[in-house]
């Protein structure tokens, strides 16, 4: 399953749990989710912006996304933590990517991703941004 699909499944589960009133964000988690959305939007922008960047910058932005998610995960527990953990797991392949050639030396198991893989990961981050924003909207409407 690709990153986009994994994030879509996470988003669908979150929406269902909120609709079923299984997951109710408290004020702290709502604020953290909104902060995470803003930070993710700062890192991964619109497709035309990201695709115009050199691959090394695109990878840098995707790695920063992982850092944003990890920091947010460290600041919460319960369902929001589980959701963020799933998102980190979905984007885990980014950890094995490199943007520089190996020059014949060892690469510690890293690989050069294709342009399509960059796009897939960036699309997954945008879907994650939307899902987190929707979670907070769904919750604030109650």
């Amino acid at each position: 399953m690709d990153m986009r699909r994994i994030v879509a499944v996470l988003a669908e589960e979150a929406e269902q749990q909120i609709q079923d009133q299984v997951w109710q964000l408290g004020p702290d988690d709502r604020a953290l989710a909104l902060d995470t959305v803003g930070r993710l939007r700062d890192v991964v922008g619109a497709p035309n912006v990201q695709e115009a960047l050199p691959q090394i910058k695109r990878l840098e932005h995707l790695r920063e996304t992982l850092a944003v998610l990890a920091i947010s995960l460290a600041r919460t527990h319960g369902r929001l933590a589980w959701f963020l953990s799933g998102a980190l797991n979905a984007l885990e392949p980014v950890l094995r990517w490199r943007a520089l050639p190996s020059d014949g030396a060892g690469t510690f198991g890293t690989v050069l991703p294709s342009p399509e893989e960059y796009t897939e990961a960036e699309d997954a981050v945008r879907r994650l941004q939307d899902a987190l924003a929707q979670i907070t909207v769904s919750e604030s409407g109650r």
Side-chain angles (χ1 to χ4, degrees), residues 28-46:
D28 290 343
D29 277 349
R30 185 175 296 109
L32 179 62
L34 286 171
D35 180 61
T36 303
V37 169
R39 291 173 38 206
L40 289 174
R41 288 194 199 286
D42 288 345
V43 178
V44 173

Side-chain angles (χ1 to χ4, degrees), residues 13-139:
E13 183 177 352
E15 293 284 334
Q16 189 63 52
Q17 287 188 20
I18 288 168
Q19 185 177 45
D20 294 346
Q21 297 184 2
V22 173
W23 184 6
Q24 297 178 2
L25 264 71
D28 290 343
D29 277 349
R30 185 175 296 109
L32 179 62
L34 286 171
D35 180 61
T36 303
V37 169
R39 291 173 38 206
L40 289 174
R41 288 194 199 286
D42 288 345
V43 178
V44 173
N48 60 331
V49 173
Q50 290 303 122
E51 291 169 7
L53 295 172
Q55 287 188 351
I56 197 163
K57 280 298 195 185
R58 290 177 81 178
L59 181 54
E60 184 180 306
H61 288 190
L62 288 166
R63 287 178 179 161
E64 193 170 338
T65 293
L66 294 171
V68 166
L69 292 171
I71 290 167
S72 294
L73 173 61
R75 294 181 174 158
T76 191
H77 302 281
R79 294 189 189 280
L80 182 57
W82 305 340
F83 178 82
L84 294 171
S85 177
L88 277 162
N89 188 52
L91 294 167
E92 182 270 336
V94 171
L95 294 173
R96 293 187 306 274
W97 292 358
R98 62 184 163 86
L100 301 174
S102 68
D103 296 331
T107 64
F108 302 100
T110 60
V111 296
L112 290 169
S114 69
E116 293 80 17
E117 287 172 308
Y118 280 107
T119 300
E120 175 189 332
E122 291 160 350
D123 287 347
V125 171
R126 286 184 206 95
R127 179 64 178 103
L128 182 58
Q129 294 167 3
D130 293 344
L132 282 167
Q134 185 60 41
I135 288 167
T136 62
V137 169
S138 297
E139 273 295 297

Side-chain angles (χ1 to χ4, degrees), residues 2-21:
D2 75 19
M3 289 179 251
R4 285 179 289 227
R5 183 68 191 133
I6 294 169
V7 170
V9 168
L10 287 170
E12 291 166 10
E13 183 177 352
E15 293 284 334
Q16 189 63 52
Q17 287 188 20
I18 288 168
Q19 185 177 45
D20 294 346
Q21 297 184 2

